[in-house]
Amino acid sequence: MCGIMGYIGKGNAVPVIIDGLSKLEYRGYDSSGIALYNNNQIETVKKKGRLSTMVEKLEEKAGIDIGIGHTRWATHGVPSDVNAHPHADCTGQIVVVHNGIIENYAKLRKDLMLEGHDFISDTDTEAIVHLIEKYYKNTSLEKAVRKVLKEVQGSFAIAVMCVNEPDKIIAAKKDSPLIVGLGENENYIASDIPAILGKTKQIYILEDKELVILTKDSVEITDFDGNKVHKEIFEVTWDAIAAEKAGYEHFMLKEIHEQPVAIKETLREKIKDGLVDMSDLNIDEIFEDTEKIYIVACGTAYHAGLVGKLAIEKLAKIPVETDIASEFRYRDVLWTPKSVMIVVSQSGETADTLAALREAKRNGIKVLAVTNVVGSSVSREADKVIYTHAGPEIAVASTKAYTTQLVIMYLLALHLANVKSTISKEEITKLNNDLLKMDTLVEKVLTQQNKIKALAEKYKDIQSTFFLGRSFDYAVAMEGALKLKEISYIHAEAYAAGELKHGPLALIYDGVPVLALITQDHLVDKTMSNIKEVKARGAVVVAICKENLQETCQECDEQILLPDLNPILAPIVSVVPLQIFSYYMAVFRDCDVDKPRNLAKSVTVE
Ligand code: M6R
């Protein structure tokens, strides 16, 4: 949550910072601001609303070579001009941008106010800048910031600028991400890689409790105690084009269409001679004698974990518990010895997922991370990592990250089944070959875009909808419902089809649309009975069903047909019509598809 971008160098700071912030808007977009050193003073512009609103207020400024900017997702204090970052001290000479939460801000604020500091916002961040002001007496900015870092509690990535030391930006982090981009006679600080794509490919990834001083031509990293830290330069492989819309109206639509390639890329280095081969990833050492697997994640990644549970239990016969990270971290887990945790996170920065990972490690449990972002916190803290190769996912609604997470879940299930010989070699080979066809099958579904669009147009004014399924279909129903809620703001609920009559059936009324997933051959008759139950109560049923089940599903009002596919692997394909449906529902309802209200892509606070 919240994006930070800072620049110091030879060039024109304003466009660089604005461009960086535009790539970070996915992290929050309820206000934005920029602070620039100009004519021996710091000028700040900040505005409630999207970045474009702030940019409109920004007068053209050339020749400015240092500045910091911020795009906000509100935690403390409503979205407003005054709560937007950067925040300044009483003199207006020191400014700070912050991502995270200062947990002891109330006490700090109270004490500072008693000492005479004037607070003007409701944010936790303002305490940081007044505290720097307090300590910045007869000393350097660096020393003052170091003192503050010892006093603030919680999570933070900050960048600080000061009138008296206009040749530097000081930044520091704990539990919120921060990277340094290395240029020639110019350097950058940012919350995430997309902000600096197209500017440099060389970065440093800051670890917790590290502080960096950026000047035009130097980058000095130390720990919070001042000890020098030597870091390897990390070469970014994503290119700038991958983070652009490439002619699509929205990132989400582009990312939906990128799924065949993302699936292929994710499979690439894990299949050798046509068979799953994860030997290069060295994961066997953590799965030796595994008696239980915990899969922990949030949102869409959690839904991928639900599919992972079904696949691993079915194929590798290892018991799996899939949990929502924010619940898992506070429950009394009865850790089973010989267990492994798998954390799934597109960003690798989700606070709750990271906390669950740390909890597992504290209990001596090995952790495997499945993430899309190389160098992310979970990738660094886990014992082993498997990357999804989805490329940058910019839209808040996750699509290609989900399908590639599913691919990894299946690869893992197959790999473990192979190692443990829990299913026959023939079955493994068959599933393996079917998995290799997934990209083509997704492509086939994408050709139905216009049909699904027409369906969305027809249902665009609905108030409420339900998603049903059994087994793998239920897991996908949950993802479909989340997608629809998230971007079109329509109330949507997912139910296990067999559970309806235990209560939710009372919600069915005349004309309510029900989207039913029907891909599990052995369960089709059961699901059809449930469909008849909702139809009998007036529901209009849209079936997302496999071609071979078309006959059985005839009674449904509408059908979206999926190509013939292995039912175990069906989620990779069956989710795609739901993504397209949600996308067009949001478009027809004039919603901001890529930046839905109240949300941010990366949830780095609890
Ligand atoms: O980066 P992560 O995968 O850890 O993010 C988890 C969720 O915040 C994320 O999947 C969220 O639910 C998506 N916006 C759903 O589309």
Side-chain angles (χ1 to χ4, degrees):
M1 342 262 357
C2 300
I4 290 177
M5 175 76 191
Y7 171 85
I8 182 161
K10 57 188 177 197
N12 194 348
V14 179
V16 174
I17 295 172
I18 299 301
D19 181 60
L21 290 180
S22 73
K23 307 287 168 29
L24 294 175
E25 255 196 310
Y26 73 85
R27 303 178 65 85
Y29 34 80
D30 51 41
S31 59
S32 61
I34 190 168
L36 305 161
Y37 177 75
N38 190 20
N39 292 330
N40 303 321
Q41 57 180 359
I42 289 176
E43 294 175 3
T44 302
V45 179
K46 39 195 215 167
K47 271 279 157 228
K48 178 184 168 186
R50 295 290 154 89
L51 179 64
S52 52
T53 318
M54 190 273 283
V55 173
E56 274 167 26
K57 301 279 162 217
L58 203 59
E59 286 161 27
E60 210 157 288
K61 285 187 198 305
I64 293 178
D65 51 20
I66 173 169
I68 53 178
H70 188 267
T71 176
R72 180 169 186 246
W73 187 84
T75 57
H76 294 60
V78 296
S80 67
D81 291 357
V82 90
N83 286 335
H85 300 217
H87 289 284
D89 70 329
C90 300
T91 65
Q93 304 217 322
I94 307 168
V95 281
V96 167
V97 288
H98 166 222
N99 164 208
I101 290 179
I102 302 302
E103 287 163 2
N104 57 338
Y105 84 99
K107 166 137 188 19
L108 292 173
R109 183 183 174 108
K110 193 170 153 222
D111 294 348
L112 286 160
M113 283 172 86
L114 285 173
E115 290 168 28
H117 290 262
D118 282 335
F119 278 72
I120 56 168
S121 77
D122 300 320
T123 64
D124 51 335
T125 306
E126 207 183 340
I128 303 176
V129 71
H130 287 287
L131 207 52
I132 299 175
E133 179 188 10
K134 171 178 167 176
Y135 292 129
Y136 191 45
K137 303 259 156 46
N138 306 317
T139 186
S140 65
L141 182 65
E142 178 189 344
K143 283 193 178 138
V145 171
R146 285 191 191 283
K147 269 190 152 175
V148 171
L149 295 175
K150 294 222 151 75
E151 264 186 58
V152 289
Q153 290 162 13
S155 60
F156 52 84
I158 56 167
V160 187
M161 225 171 70
C162 173
V163 168
N164 298 334
E165 301 184 39
D167 59 336
K168 62 177 68 97
I169 295 173
I170 299 184
K173 75 149 257 163
K174 184 184 152 276
D175 295 335
S176 294
L178 205 56
I179 59 158
V180 174
L182 305 168
E184 238 174 72
N185 300 116
E186 54 189 353
N187 290 305
Y188 314 83
I189 190 89
S191 296
D192 198 2
I193 295 169
I196 50 96
L197 285 181
K199 300 174 184 86
T200 177
K201 291 206 160 201
Q202 300 206 312
I203 64 165
Y204 286 133
I205 298 169
L206 294 188
E207 299 289 340
D208 278 351
K209 300 198 175 172
E210 286 182 350
L211 175 145
V212 60
I213 302 178
L214 303 181
T215 67
K216 186 159 80 62
D217 34 39
S218 71
V219 169
E220 189 188 302
I221 304 174
T222 50
D223 63 20
F224 280 6
D225 295 321
N227 303 307
K228 279 222 160 17
V229 173
H230 176 73
K231 255 186 204 303
E232 296 295 320
I233 292 179
F234 179 84
E235 292 281 340
V236 177
T237 52
W238 291 351
D239 64 18
I241 307 294
E244 302 293 342
K245 281 191 203 150
Y248 285 91
E249 203 179 330
H250 297 100
F251 278 112
M252 183 179 176
L253 190 60
K254 176 185 173 235
E255 288 160 8
I256 289 173
H257 280 267
E258 282 172 342
Q259 290 181 109
V261 173
I263 290 168
K264 245 201 280 189
E265 280 299 301
T266 301
L267 282 166
R268 201 155 50 94
E269 48 181 27
K270 292 132 197 148
I271 301 268
K272 293 192 188 106
D273 300 328
L275 284 178
V276 172
D277 183 344
M278 314 255 268
S279 47
D280 287 356
L281 301 172
N282 293 321
I283 54 168
D284 290 339
E285 57 197 75
I286 67 169
F287 281 105
E288 220 182 347
D289 302 328
T290 303
E291 285 175 1
K292 181 163 187 177
I293 294 175
Y294 299 93
I295 303 183
V296 185
C298 301
T300 288
Y302 164 71
H303 295 155
L306 292 175
V307 173
K309 171 185 166 69
L310 294 170
I312 294 171
E313 288 186 339
K314 191 170 193 67
L315 306 177
K317 318 287 182 209
I318 301 173
V320 181
E321 261 183 49
T322 299
D323 262 278
I324 293 170
S326 56
E327 287 295 310
F328 186 88
R329 63 184 289 193
Y330 294 116
R331 79 173 165 88
D332 296 317
V333 180
L334 304 174
W335 296 102
T336 314
K338 297 191 186 162
S339 55
V340 172
M341 178 186 276
I342 302 174
V343 291
V344 187
S345 174
Q346 187 283 131
S347 63
E349 300 294 348
T350 300
D352 287 318
T353 307
L354 202 50
L357 177 159
R358 290 176 183 157
E359 190 57 27
K361 295 209 76 178
R362 260 196 297 281
N363 282 278
I365 303 295
K366 294 272 185 249
V367 180
L368 168 70
V370 175
T371 182
N372 195 34
V373 181
V374 179
S376 57
S377 300
V378 304
S379 76
R380 283 177 284 131
E381 293 192 30
D383 297 284
K384 298 283 169 194
V385 189
I386 306 182
Y387 290 105
T388 50
H389 291 280
E393 192 182 64
I394 310 289
V396 166
S398 189
T399 52
K400 60 178 180 169
Y402 174 72
T403 38
T404 52
Q405 283 159 359
L406 293 184
V407 167
I408 301 287
M409 293 295 125
Y410 288 119
L411 283 169
L412 254 177
L414 278 174
H415 176 73
L416 295 172
N418 197 15
V419 172
K420 295 180 72 214
S421 305
T422 43
I423 55 171
S424 70
K425 291 280 172 223
E426 292 70 38
E427 279 174 285
I428 292 183
T429 311
K430 164 109 187 51
L431 272 159
N432 190 107
N433 293 340
D434 288 343
L435 192 54
L436 291 176
K437 290 182 204 146
M438 286 296 121
D439 58 320
T440 325
L441 299 186
V442 168
E443 245 158 35
K444 277 194 182 157
V445 175
L446 290 172
T447 62
Q448 298 194 56
Q449 181 167 305
N450 283 340
K451 181 179 175 191
I452 302 166
K453 179 179 177 182
L455 212 59
E457 187 160 26
K458 184 167 165 187
Y459 291 109
K460 67 179 192 306
D461 296 319
I462 59 171
Q463 303 290 316
S464 190
T465 185
F466 298 89
F467 289 72
L468 303 184
R470 284 171 179 260
S471 177
F472 287 102
D473 288 341
Y474 173 41
V476 176
M478 292 175 76
E479 175 58 9
L482 174 63
K483 235 42 349 149
L484 191 66
K485 285 184 256 214
E486 185 178 23
I487 58 169
S488 73
Y489 318 145
I490 295 169
H491 169 244
E493 302 255 11
Y495 286 107
E499 183 65 10
L500 274 185
K501 52 188 160 307
H502 299 287
L505 201 54
L507 292 170
I508 300 296
Y509 55 88
D510 217 17
V512 70
V514 170
L515 283 92
L517 286 127
I518 310 171
T519 68
Q520 304 299 301
D521 302 65
H522 66 300
L523 294 171
V524 63
D525 293 334
K526 305 279 174 210
T527 307
M528 275 317 291
S529 305
N530 305 129
I531 286 174
K532 282 177 194 153
E533 287 157 13
V534 294
K535 273 189 72 67
R537 285 149 184 92
V540 181
V541 179
V542 178
I544 292 94
C545 72
K546 282 204 307 168
E547 251 160 25
N548 64 315
L549 303 175
Q550 192 180 359
E551 237 358 67
T552 330
C553 302
Q554 251 174 14
E555 279 177 61
C556 298
D557 302 273
E558 320 256 10
Q559 289 185 349
I560 297 168
L561 297 181
L562 304 174
D564 188 22
L565 55 95
N566 189 323
I568 298 176
L569 306 175
I572 301 177
V573 179
S574 62
V575 74
V576 178
L578 304 183
Q579 296 168 340
I580 300 173
F581 181 70
S582 301
Y583 170 76
Y584 280 111
M585 289 292 268
V587 169
F588 287 127
R589 291 165 71 95
D590 272 339
C591 299
D592 191 341
V593 176
D594 286 336
K595 294 176 191 135
R597 69 184 179 205
N598 308 336
L599 301 180
K601 178 89 182 149
S602 203
V603 184
T604 55
V605 293
E606 261 196 85

